[in-house]
Amino acid sequence: HEIVVVGALVGVTTKSAQAGETVACDCVGVYALKKKTGEAIEQGVKVYVADGEISATGTVVAGITWAKAIADDETVLVKLNA
């Protein structure tokens, strides 16, 4: 799944699309999303979209972590727009 940001709304694509192409996105639910390398993130905290990845810092809120992710994890479970 790729992360899509439209204003303050965050979604994940349901299929592949070319840049600029209209694509369906899910904006609710829990998804395993690519996280920033080297960051450990606790369960139940707000996370952000930064350069197409999930990060502990940023300006666009992606949602709340569903589970803890250690620094070596490539993804983190995120409840979108929570």
Side-chain angles (χ1 to χ4, degrees), residues 10-34:
V10 174
V12 293
T13 59
T14 57
K15 66 174 189 162
S16 296
Q18 299 296 320
E21 182 181 1
T22 300
V23 63
C25 294
D26 288 331
C27 296
V28 295
V30 177
Y31 292 88
L33 301 175
K34 183 173 171 56

Side-chain angles (χ1 to χ4, degrees), residues 33-65:
L33 301 175
K34 183 173 171 56
K35 82 171 182 62
K36 189 173 177 182
T37 305
E39 280 191 357
I41 304 175
E42 292 297 319
Q43 181 181 24
V45 298
K46 282 186 182 180
V47 287
Y48 303 85
V49 178
D51 298 322
E53 297 179 328
I54 298 300
S55 176
T57 60
T59 56
V60 177
V61 176
I64 296 176
T65 54

